Amino acid sequence: LCYSVLRFALAMSAINAHLVVKLWANGDVSKLEKDLRRFYEHVKRVKPESSRSDSAELFLVARQYKGMKASKELTASENS
């Protein structure tokens, strides 16, 4: 579901837009966080103080969307 949200955000967001995704911690969080970093300048994991300490709930906050062109350039430079 988070990747559906990311695809929608990539299609609809303006440059410098932000995205917040609520999820529950699992083995795929690091992969999603890495993928968000391809498209956003700043990505941070946030666990609200109001969330119980034993809860796996967390948020990924992605700020300053770089745009598709920037992410394609980044991907090209990673493959070089």
mmCIF file of all heavy atoms in Angstrom, residues 2-21 32-44 60-72 74-75 78:
data_model
loop_
_atom_site.group_PDB
_atom_site.id
_atom_site.type_symbol
_atom_site.label_atom_id
_atom_site.label_comp_id
_atom_site.label_asym_id
_atom_site.label_seq_id
_atom_site.Cartn_x
_atom_site.Cartn_y
_atom_site.Cartn_z
ATOM 1 N N CYS A 2 1.971 1.239 0.744
ATOM 2 C CA CYS A 2 2.853 2.412 0.784
ATOM 3 C C CYS A 2 3.439 2.715 -0.591
ATOM 4 O O CYS A 2 3.605 3.879 -0.953
ATOM 5 C CB CYS A 2 3.970 2.197 1.793
ATOM 6 S SG CYS A 2 3.404 2.199 3.502
ATOM 7 N N TYR A 3 3.739 1.675 -1.358
ATOM 8 C CA TYR A 3 4.282 1.915 -2.699
ATOM 9 C C TYR A 3 3.216 2.471 -3.641
ATOM 10 O O TYR A 3 3.539 3.242 -4.544
ATOM 11 C CB TYR A 3 4.939 0.651 -3.259
ATOM 12 C CG TYR A 3 6.347 0.486 -2.751
ATOM 13 C CD1 TYR A 3 6.618 -0.315 -1.652
ATOM 14 C CD2 TYR A 3 7.400 1.178 -3.337
ATOM 15 C CE1 TYR A 3 7.914 -0.443 -1.174
ATOM 16 C CE2 TYR A 3 8.695 1.061 -2.864
ATOM 17 C CZ TYR A 3 8.943 0.246 -1.781
ATOM 18 O OH TYR A 3 10.228 0.139 -1.302
ATOM 19 N N SER A 4 1.958 2.139 -3.424
ATOM 20 C CA SER A 4 0.882 2.750 -4.202
ATOM 21 C C SER A 4 0.798 4.247 -3.892
ATOM 22 O O SER A 4 0.618 5.068 -4.788
ATOM 23 C CB SER A 4 -0.462 2.086 -3.899
ATOM 24 O OG SER A 4 -0.456 0.758 -4.336
ATOM 25 N N VAL A 5 0.935 4.592 -2.630
ATOM 26 C CA VAL A 5 0.935 5.996 -2.215
ATOM 27 C C VAL A 5 2.125 6.720 -2.830
ATOM 28 O O VAL A 5 1.989 7.833 -3.350
ATOM 29 C CB VAL A 5 0.949 6.112 -0.673
ATOM 30 C CG1 VAL A 5 1.182 7.550 -0.232
ATOM 31 C CG2 VAL A 5 -0.330 5.557 -0.089
ATOM 32 N N LEU A 6 3.290 6.085 -2.814
ATOM 33 C CA LEU A 6 4.474 6.707 -3.403
ATOM 34 C C LEU A 6 4.288 6.930 -4.898
ATOM 35 O O LEU A 6 4.583 8.013 -5.406
ATOM 36 C CB LEU A 6 5.717 5.848 -3.146
ATOM 37 C CG LEU A 6 7.019 6.337 -3.776
ATOM 38 C CD1 LEU A 6 7.361 7.760 -3.336
ATOM 39 C CD2 LEU A 6 8.156 5.374 -3.460
ATOM 40 N N ARG A 7 3.778 5.944 -5.615
ATOM 41 C CA ARG A 7 3.548 6.119 -7.059
ATOM 42 C C ARG A 7 2.576 7.265 -7.326
ATOM 43 O O ARG A 7 2.798 8.070 -8.235
ATOM 44 C CB ARG A 7 3.022 4.816 -7.678
ATOM 45 C CG ARG A 7 4.111 3.793 -7.932
ATOM 46 C CD ARG A 7 3.620 2.619 -8.753
ATOM 47 N NE ARG A 7 2.606 1.833 -8.070
ATOM 48 C CZ ARG A 7 2.852 0.864 -7.209
ATOM 49 N NH1 ARG A 7 4.088 0.545 -6.909
ATOM 50 N NH2 ARG A 7 1.863 0.200 -6.646
ATOM 51 N N PHE A 8 1.516 7.355 -6.534
ATOM 52 C CA PHE A 8 0.555 8.445 -6.685
ATOM 53 C C PHE A 8 1.232 9.795 -6.423
ATOM 54 O O PHE A 8 1.058 10.750 -7.185
ATOM 55 C CB PHE A 8 -0.631 8.251 -5.735
ATOM 56 C CG PHE A 8 -1.653 9.335 -5.824
ATOM 57 C CD1 PHE A 8 -2.576 9.349 -6.855
ATOM 58 C CD2 PHE A 8 -1.684 10.352 -4.889
ATOM 59 C CE1 PHE A 8 -3.526 10.363 -6.948
ATOM 60 C CE2 PHE A 8 -2.633 11.366 -4.974
ATOM 61 C CZ PHE A 8 -3.544 11.375 -6.001
ATOM 62 N N ALA A 9 2.020 9.861 -5.352
ATOM 63 C CA ALA A 9 2.701 11.111 -5.011
ATOM 64 C C ALA A 9 3.669 11.525 -6.111
ATOM 65 O O ALA A 9 3.756 12.712 -6.458
ATOM 66 C CB ALA A 9 3.444 10.955 -3.681
ATOM 67 N N LEU A 10 4.384 10.576 -6.688
ATOM 68 C CA LEU A 10 5.334 10.901 -7.750
ATOM 69 C C LEU A 10 4.619 11.440 -8.981
ATOM 70 O O LEU A 10 5.125 12.321 -9.664
ATOM 71 C CB LEU A 10 6.162 9.673 -8.127
ATOM 72 C CG LEU A 10 7.063 9.111 -7.027
ATOM 73 C CD1 LEU A 10 7.785 7.873 -7.529
ATOM 74 C CD2 LEU A 10 8.029 10.147 -6.504
ATOM 75 N N ALA A 11 3.438 10.920 -9.246
ATOM 76 C CA ALA A 11 2.673 11.364 -10.415
ATOM 77 C C ALA A 11 2.014 12.723 -10.195
ATOM 78 O O ALA A 11 1.835 13.488 -11.149
ATOM 79 C CB ALA A 11 1.619 10.324 -10.764
ATOM 80 N N MET A 12 1.657 13.051 -8.950
ATOM 81 C CA MET A 12 0.835 14.224 -8.693
ATOM 82 C C MET A 12 1.567 15.388 -8.019
ATOM 83 O O MET A 12 1.074 16.510 -8.042
ATOM 84 C CB MET A 12 -0.359 13.834 -7.804
ATOM 85 C CG MET A 12 -1.236 12.740 -8.388
ATOM 86 S SD MET A 12 -1.905 13.140 -10.013
ATOM 87 C CE MET A 12 -3.006 14.459 -9.611
ATOM 88 N N SER A 13 2.716 15.150 -7.435
ATOM 89 C CA SER A 13 3.376 16.173 -6.617
ATOM 90 C C SER A 13 4.139 17.201 -7.441
ATOM 91 O O SER A 13 4.721 16.890 -8.473
ATOM 92 C CB SER A 13 4.353 15.518 -5.639
ATOM 93 O OG SER A 13 3.665 14.731 -4.713
ATOM 94 N N ALA A 14 4.153 18.406 -6.917
ATOM 95 C CA ALA A 14 4.974 19.479 -7.473
ATOM 96 C C ALA A 14 6.367 19.386 -6.849
ATOM 97 O O ALA A 14 6.553 18.773 -5.793
ATOM 98 C CB ALA A 14 4.350 20.831 -7.140
ATOM 99 N N ILE A 15 7.334 19.999 -7.485
ATOM 100 C CA ILE A 15 8.685 20.051 -6.934
ATOM 101 C C ILE A 15 8.622 20.668 -5.532
ATOM 102 O O ILE A 15 7.859 21.597 -5.289
ATOM 103 C CB ILE A 15 9.610 20.887 -7.848
ATOM 104 C CG1 ILE A 15 9.689 20.268 -9.244
ATOM 105 C CG2 ILE A 15 11.006 21.040 -7.246
ATOM 106 C CD1 ILE A 15 10.276 18.878 -9.306
ATOM 107 N N ASN A 16 9.408 20.149 -4.617
ATOM 108 C CA ASN A 16 9.493 20.567 -3.211
ATOM 109 C C ASN A 16 8.294 20.154 -2.367
ATOM 110 O O ASN A 16 8.171 20.596 -1.221
ATOM 111 C CB ASN A 16 9.745 22.070 -3.072
ATOM 112 C CG ASN A 16 11.114 22.457 -3.543
ATOM 113 O OD1 ASN A 16 12.080 21.726 -3.310
ATOM 114 N ND2 ASN A 16 11.222 23.575 -4.227
ATOM 115 N N ALA A 17 7.419 19.297 -2.887
ATOM 116 C CA ALA A 17 6.284 18.799 -2.103
ATOM 117 C C ALA A 17 6.787 17.847 -1.015
ATOM 118 O O ALA A 17 7.923 17.373 -1.053
ATOM 119 C CB ALA A 17 5.299 18.073 -3.015
ATOM 120 N N HIS A 18 5.921 17.560 -0.053
ATOM 121 C CA HIS A 18 6.251 16.665 1.057
ATOM 122 C C HIS A 18 5.285 15.488 1.059
ATOM 123 O O HIS A 18 4.180 15.563 0.504
ATOM 124 C CB HIS A 18 6.150 17.398 2.390
ATOM 125 C CG HIS A 18 6.926 18.673 2.443
ATOM 126 N ND1 HIS A 18 8.234 18.782 2.018
ATOM 127 C CD2 HIS A 18 6.580 19.905 2.867
ATOM 128 C CE1 HIS A 18 8.653 20.011 2.189
ATOM 129 N NE2 HIS A 18 7.662 20.729 2.701
ATOM 130 N N LEU A 19 5.702 14.401 1.700
ATOM 131 C CA LEU A 19 4.878 13.192 1.795
ATOM 132 C C LEU A 19 5.058 12.590 3.173
ATOM 133 O O LEU A 19 6.185 12.488 3.674
ATOM 134 C CB LEU A 19 5.314 12.171 0.723
ATOM 135 C CG LEU A 19 4.635 10.805 0.743
ATOM 136 C CD1 LEU A 19 3.155 10.930 0.383
ATOM 137 C CD2 LEU A 19 5.339 9.859 -0.214
ATOM 138 N N VAL A 20 3.952 12.187 3.792
ATOM 139 C CA VAL A 20 3.983 11.493 5.077
ATOM 140 C C VAL A 20 3.260 10.166 4.897
ATOM 141 O O VAL A 20 2.135 10.135 4.400
ATOM 142 C CB VAL A 20 3.304 12.319 6.196
ATOM 143 C CG1 VAL A 20 3.296 11.546 7.505
ATOM 144 C CG2 VAL A 20 3.984 13.663 6.353
ATOM 145 N N VAL A 21 3.918 9.079 5.296
ATOM 146 C CA VAL A 21 3.352 7.740 5.173
ATOM 147 C C VAL A 21 3.340 7.097 6.555
ATOM 148 O O VAL A 21 4.373 7.036 7.224
ATOM 149 C CB VAL A 21 4.187 6.869 4.204
ATOM 150 C CG1 VAL A 21 3.590 5.490 4.069
ATOM 151 C CG2 VAL A 21 4.313 7.525 2.853
ATOM 152 N N LEU A 32 11.794 0.829 1.713
ATOM 153 C CA LEU A 32 10.929 1.961 1.392
ATOM 154 C C LEU A 32 11.646 3.275 1.689
ATOM 155 O O LEU A 32 11.594 4.210 0.889
ATOM 156 C CB LEU A 32 9.618 1.878 2.173
ATOM 157 C CG LEU A 32 8.640 3.029 1.976
ATOM 158 C CD1 LEU A 32 8.222 3.162 0.514
ATOM 159 C CD2 LEU A 32 7.411 2.836 2.861
ATOM 160 N N GLU A 33 12.334 3.341 2.805
ATOM 161 C CA GLU A 33 13.069 4.552 3.169
ATOM 162 C C GLU A 33 14.139 4.856 2.112
ATOM 163 O O GLU A 33 14.294 6.006 1.681
ATOM 164 C CB GLU A 33 13.710 4.359 4.537
ATOM 165 C CG GLU A 33 14.308 5.600 5.122
ATOM 166 C CD GLU A 33 14.767 5.396 6.556
ATOM 167 O OE1 GLU A 33 14.765 4.246 7.053
ATOM 168 O OE2 GLU A 33 15.142 6.405 7.173
ATOM 169 N N LYS A 34 14.848 3.852 1.666
ATOM 170 C CA LYS A 34 15.866 4.035 0.619
ATOM 171 C C LYS A 34 15.221 4.516 -0.682
ATOM 172 O O LYS A 34 15.733 5.420 -1.351
ATOM 173 C CB LYS A 34 16.603 2.716 0.380
ATOM 174 C CG LYS A 34 17.667 2.803 -0.681
ATOM 175 C CD LYS A 34 18.338 1.455 -0.894
ATOM 176 C CE LYS A 34 19.318 1.525 -2.042
ATOM 177 N NZ LYS A 34 19.880 0.225 -2.381
ATOM 178 N N ASP A 35 14.078 3.937 -1.049
ATOM 179 C CA ASP A 35 13.391 4.351 -2.266
ATOM 180 C C ASP A 35 12.895 5.793 -2.164
ATOM 181 O O ASP A 35 12.965 6.547 -3.136
ATOM 182 C CB ASP A 35 12.236 3.404 -2.588
ATOM 183 C CG ASP A 35 12.726 2.022 -3.004
ATOM 184 O OD1 ASP A 35 13.893 1.901 -3.452
ATOM 185 O OD2 ASP A 35 11.952 1.063 -2.883
ATOM 186 N N LEU A 36 12.417 6.190 -1.003
ATOM 187 C CA LEU A 36 11.983 7.577 -0.813
ATOM 188 C C LEU A 36 13.150 8.548 -0.984
ATOM 189 O O LEU A 36 12.988 9.627 -1.548
ATOM 190 C CB LEU A 36 11.354 7.763 0.568
ATOM 191 C CG LEU A 36 9.942 7.221 0.748
ATOM 192 C CD1 LEU A 36 9.563 7.219 2.231
ATOM 193 C CD2 LEU A 36 8.946 8.010 -0.061
ATOM 194 N N ARG A 37 14.326 8.150 -0.539
ATOM 195 C CA ARG A 37 15.502 9.018 -0.651
ATOM 196 C C ARG A 37 15.886 9.293 -2.107
ATOM 197 O O ARG A 37 16.527 10.295 -2.402
ATOM 198 C CB ARG A 37 16.692 8.412 0.092
ATOM 199 C CG ARG A 37 16.535 8.444 1.583
ATOM 200 C CD ARG A 37 17.781 7.960 2.310
ATOM 201 N NE ARG A 37 17.501 7.706 3.710
ATOM 202 C CZ ARG A 37 17.361 8.646 4.629
ATOM 203 N NH1 ARG A 37 17.476 9.899 4.293
ATOM 204 N NH2 ARG A 37 17.103 8.326 5.878
ATOM 205 N N ARG A 38 15.481 8.436 -3.021
ATOM 206 C CA ARG A 38 15.734 8.682 -4.444
ATOM 207 C C ARG A 38 14.960 9.885 -4.951
ATOM 208 O O ARG A 38 15.388 10.557 -5.887
ATOM 209 C CB ARG A 38 15.334 7.462 -5.274
ATOM 210 C CG ARG A 38 16.223 6.266 -5.084
ATOM 211 C CD ARG A 38 15.766 5.081 -5.894
ATOM 212 N NE ARG A 38 15.555 5.430 -7.281
ATOM 213 C CZ ARG A 38 14.700 4.816 -8.095
ATOM 214 N NH1 ARG A 38 13.964 3.824 -7.651
ATOM 215 N NH2 ARG A 38 14.587 5.183 -9.346
ATOM 216 N N PHE A 39 13.807 10.161 -4.337
ATOM 217 C CA PHE A 39 12.901 11.186 -4.845
ATOM 218 C C PHE A 39 12.785 12.418 -3.951
ATOM 219 O O PHE A 39 12.286 13.444 -4.396
ATOM 220 C CB PHE A 39 11.501 10.593 -5.036
ATOM 221 C CG PHE A 39 11.478 9.422 -5.978
ATOM 222 C CD1 PHE A 39 11.407 8.131 -5.510
ATOM 223 C CD2 PHE A 39 11.550 9.626 -7.352
ATOM 224 C CE1 PHE A 39 11.385 7.056 -6.380
ATOM 225 C CE2 PHE A 39 11.542 8.556 -8.232
ATOM 226 C CZ PHE A 39 11.457 7.268 -7.742
ATOM 227 N N TYR A 40 13.205 12.321 -2.695
ATOM 228 C CA TYR A 40 13.051 13.413 -1.730
ATOM 229 C C TYR A 40 14.402 13.759 -1.108
ATOM 230 O O TYR A 40 15.220 12.879 -0.847
ATOM 231 C CB TYR A 40 12.064 13.026 -0.621
ATOM 232 C CG TYR A 40 10.653 12.864 -1.136
ATOM 233 C CD1 TYR A 40 10.207 11.655 -1.653
ATOM 234 C CD2 TYR A 40 9.763 13.932 -1.122
ATOM 235 C CE1 TYR A 40 8.920 11.504 -2.145
ATOM 236 C CE2 TYR A 40 8.476 13.796 -1.607
ATOM 237 C CZ TYR A 40 8.058 12.580 -2.122
ATOM 238 O OH TYR A 40 6.783 12.440 -2.603
ATOM 239 N N GLU A 41 14.622 15.053 -0.864
ATOM 240 C CA GLU A 41 15.871 15.517 -0.262
ATOM 241 C C GLU A 41 16.070 15.002 1.159
ATOM 242 O O GLU A 41 17.174 14.649 1.548
ATOM 243 C CB GLU A 41 15.917 17.056 -0.237
ATOM 244 C CG GLU A 41 16.193 17.688 -1.561
ATOM 245 C CD GLU A 41 17.607 17.437 -2.059
ATOM 246 O OE1 GLU A 41 18.546 17.309 -1.246
ATOM 247 O OE2 GLU A 41 17.766 17.353 -3.282
ATOM 248 N N HIS A 42 14.997 14.980 1.947
ATOM 249 C CA HIS A 42 15.090 14.615 3.359
ATOM 250 C C HIS A 42 14.049 13.548 3.673
ATOM 251 O O HIS A 42 12.867 13.722 3.365
ATOM 252 C CB HIS A 42 14.847 15.827 4.259
ATOM 253 C CG HIS A 42 15.691 17.006 3.905
ATOM 254 N ND1 HIS A 42 17.021 17.102 4.258
ATOM 255 C CD2 HIS A 42 15.415 18.128 3.209
ATOM 256 C CE1 HIS A 42 17.512 18.227 3.801
ATOM 257 N NE2 HIS A 42 16.553 18.882 3.158
ATOM 258 N N VAL A 43 14.477 12.466 4.281
ATOM 259 C CA VAL A 43 13.560 11.399 4.711
ATOM 260 C C VAL A 43 13.905 11.060 6.156
ATOM 261 O O VAL A 43 15.071 10.875 6.503
ATOM 262 C CB VAL A 43 13.700 10.146 3.819
ATOM 263 C CG1 VAL A 43 12.788 9.033 4.322
ATOM 264 C CG2 VAL A 43 13.388 10.481 2.362
ATOM 265 N N LYS A 44 12.871 10.993 6.992
ATOM 266 C CA LYS A 44 13.087 10.764 8.412
ATOM 267 C C LYS A 44 12.034 9.809 8.956
ATOM 268 O O LYS A 44 10.860 9.911 8.617
ATOM 269 C CB LYS A 44 12.991 12.114 9.143
ATOM 270 C CG LYS A 44 13.250 12.053 10.612
ATOM 271 C CD LYS A 44 13.201 13.454 11.206
ATOM 272 C CE LYS A 44 13.467 13.405 12.690
ATOM 273 N NZ LYS A 44 13.409 14.744 13.280
ATOM 274 N N LEU A 60 7.034 7.719 8.024
ATOM 275 C CA LEU A 60 8.153 8.174 7.213
ATOM 276 C C LEU A 60 7.759 9.538 6.676
ATOM 277 O O LEU A 60 6.722 9.676 6.019
ATOM 278 C CB LEU A 60 8.444 7.210 6.068
ATOM 279 C CG LEU A 60 9.111 5.900 6.450
ATOM 280 C CD1 LEU A 60 9.272 5.008 5.219
ATOM 281 C CD2 LEU A 60 10.469 6.136 7.086
ATOM 282 N N VAL A 61 8.557 10.539 6.992
ATOM 283 C CA VAL A 61 8.299 11.897 6.550
ATOM 284 C C VAL A 61 9.332 12.232 5.473
ATOM 285 O O VAL A 61 10.541 12.230 5.746
ATOM 286 C CB VAL A 61 8.398 12.900 7.724
ATOM 287 C CG1 VAL A 61 8.151 14.317 7.244
ATOM 288 C CG2 VAL A 61 7.415 12.512 8.828
ATOM 289 N N ALA A 62 8.854 12.463 4.264
ATOM 290 C CA ALA A 62 9.725 12.778 3.128
ATOM 291 C C ALA A 62 9.475 14.232 2.734
ATOM 292 O O ALA A 62 8.342 14.605 2.461
ATOM 293 C CB ALA A 62 9.435 11.839 1.968
ATOM 294 N N ARG A 63 10.544 15.026 2.701
ATOM 295 C CA ARG A 63 10.405 16.457 2.405
ATOM 296 C C ARG A 63 11.205 16.828 1.167
ATOM 297 O O ARG A 63 12.246 16.268 0.888
ATOM 298 C CB ARG A 63 10.891 17.284 3.599
ATOM 299 C CG ARG A 63 10.043 17.056 4.837
ATOM 300 C CD ARG A 63 10.404 17.936 6.027
ATOM 301 N NE ARG A 63 11.451 18.886 5.815
ATOM 302 C CZ ARG A 63 12.604 18.892 6.485
ATOM 303 N NH1 ARG A 63 12.850 17.994 7.391
ATOM 304 N NH2 ARG A 63 13.512 19.809 6.233
ATOM 305 N N GLN A 64 10.681 17.784 0.451
ATOM 306 C CA GLN A 64 11.314 18.389 -0.727
ATOM 307 C C GLN A 64 11.495 17.392 -1.871
ATOM 308 O O GLN A 64 12.600 16.933 -2.163
ATOM 309 C CB GLN A 64 12.642 19.050 -0.359
ATOM 310 C CG GLN A 64 12.457 20.224 0.567
ATOM 311 C CD GLN A 64 13.758 20.904 0.912
ATOM 312 O OE1 GLN A 64 14.767 20.248 1.129
ATOM 313 N NE2 GLN A 64 13.715 22.231 0.954
ATOM 314 N N TYR A 65 10.381 17.100 -2.512
ATOM 315 C CA TYR A 65 10.369 16.238 -3.697
ATOM 316 C C TYR A 65 11.297 16.822 -4.760
ATOM 317 O O TYR A 65 11.235 17.998 -5.081
ATOM 318 C CB TYR A 65 8.930 16.131 -4.215
ATOM 319 C CG TYR A 65 8.760 15.384 -5.504
ATOM 320 C CD1 TYR A 65 9.256 14.104 -5.667
ATOM 321 C CD2 TYR A 65 8.073 15.952 -6.562
ATOM 322 C CE1 TYR A 65 9.068 13.405 -6.853
ATOM 323 C CE2 TYR A 65 7.880 15.272 -7.745
ATOM 324 C CZ TYR A 65 8.390 13.990 -7.883
ATOM 325 O OH TYR A 65 8.206 13.302 -9.060
ATOM 326 N N LYS A 66 12.186 15.983 -5.295
ATOM 327 C CA LYS A 66 13.186 16.437 -6.273
ATOM 328 C C LYS A 66 12.669 16.402 -7.704
ATOM 329 O O LYS A 66 13.262 17.022 -8.577
ATOM 330 C CB LYS A 66 14.427 15.552 -6.193
ATOM 331 C CG LYS A 66 15.151 15.620 -4.875
ATOM 332 C CD LYS A 66 16.420 14.808 -4.917
ATOM 333 C CE LYS A 66 16.261 13.534 -4.165
ATOM 334 N NZ LYS A 66 17.503 12.752 -4.043
ATOM 335 N N GLY A 67 11.592 15.669 -7.945
ATOM 336 C CA GLY A 67 11.074 15.533 -9.303
ATOM 337 C C GLY A 67 11.603 14.269 -9.958
ATOM 338 O O GLY A 67 12.604 13.705 -9.537
ATOM 339 N N MET A 68 10.930 13.842 -11.008
ATOM 340 C CA MET A 68 11.305 12.603 -11.686
ATOM 341 C C MET A 68 12.632 12.752 -12.416
ATOM 342 O O MET A 68 13.429 11.826 -12.450
ATOM 343 C CB MET A 68 10.207 12.187 -12.663
ATOM 344 C CG MET A 68 8.922 11.788 -11.982
ATOM 345 S SD MET A 68 9.131 10.425 -10.825
ATOM 346 C CE MET A 68 9.398 9.089 -11.967
ATOM 347 N N LYS A 69 12.906 13.900 -13.010
ATOM 348 C CA LYS A 69 14.145 14.088 -13.756
ATOM 349 C C LYS A 69 15.352 13.930 -12.831
ATOM 350 O O LYS A 69 16.319 13.251 -13.158
ATOM 351 C CB LYS A 69 14.178 15.458 -14.427
ATOM 352 C CG LYS A 69 15.421 15.694 -15.240
ATOM 353 C CD LYS A 69 15.405 17.040 -15.918
ATOM 354 C CE LYS A 69 16.703 17.240 -16.696
ATOM 355 N NZ LYS A 69 16.811 18.555 -17.265
ATOM 356 N N ALA A 70 15.280 14.531 -11.654
ATOM 357 C CA ALA A 70 16.382 14.443 -10.702
ATOM 358 C C ALA A 70 16.606 13.006 -10.265
ATOM 359 O O ALA A 70 17.738 12.555 -10.140
ATOM 360 C CB ALA A 70 16.100 15.331 -9.489
ATOM 361 N N SER A 71 15.534 12.258 -10.042
ATOM 362 C CA SER A 71 15.691 10.878 -9.604
ATOM 363 C C SER A 71 16.253 10.004 -10.717
ATOM 364 O O SER A 71 17.019 9.090 -10.472
ATOM 365 C CB SER A 71 14.367 10.312 -9.098
ATOM 366 O OG SER A 71 13.440 10.225 -10.156
ATOM 367 N N LYS A 72 15.905 10.293 -11.979
ATOM 368 C CA LYS A 72 16.468 9.537 -13.101
ATOM 369 C C LYS A 72 17.953 9.813 -13.230
ATOM 370 O O LYS A 72 18.741 8.909 -13.494
ATOM 371 C CB LYS A 72 15.742 9.891 -14.398
ATOM 372 C CG LYS A 72 14.348 9.326 -14.475
ATOM 373 C CD LYS A 72 13.655 9.749 -15.746
ATOM 374 C CE LYS A 72 12.211 9.264 -15.721
ATOM 375 N NZ LYS A 72 11.474 9.753 -16.875
ATOM 376 N N LEU A 74 19.938 10.641 -10.767
ATOM 377 C CA LEU A 74 20.547 9.982 -9.645
ATOM 378 C C LEU A 74 20.713 8.496 -9.939
ATOM 379 O O LEU A 74 21.775 7.917 -9.714
ATOM 380 C CB LEU A 74 19.696 10.184 -8.384
ATOM 381 C CG LEU A 74 20.164 9.483 -7.109
ATOM 382 C CD1 LEU A 74 21.536 10.013 -6.699
ATOM 383 C CD2 LEU A 74 19.179 9.689 -5.999
ATOM 384 N N THR A 75 19.686 7.875 -10.492
ATOM 385 C CA THR A 75 19.745 6.454 -10.817
ATOM 386 C C THR A 75 20.827 6.199 -11.864
ATOM 387 O O THR A 75 21.585 5.235 -11.755
ATOM 388 C CB THR A 75 18.383 5.965 -11.354
ATOM 389 O OG1 THR A 75 17.400 6.209 -10.351
ATOM 390 C CG2 THR A 75 18.406 4.490 -11.675
ATOM 391 N N GLU A 78 24.190 6.311 -10.189
ATOM 392 C CA GLU A 78 24.420 5.151 -9.350
ATOM 393 C C GLU A 78 24.850 3.948 -10.179
ATOM 394 O O GLU A 78 25.608 3.113 -9.720
ATOM 395 C CB GLU A 78 23.140 4.792 -8.575
ATOM 396 C CG GLU A 78 22.807 5.771 -7.477
ATOM 397 C CD GLU A 78 21.471 5.491 -6.825
ATOM 398 O OE1 GLU A 78 20.689 4.685 -7.365
ATOM 399 O OE2 GLU A 78 21.190 6.077 -5.784
#
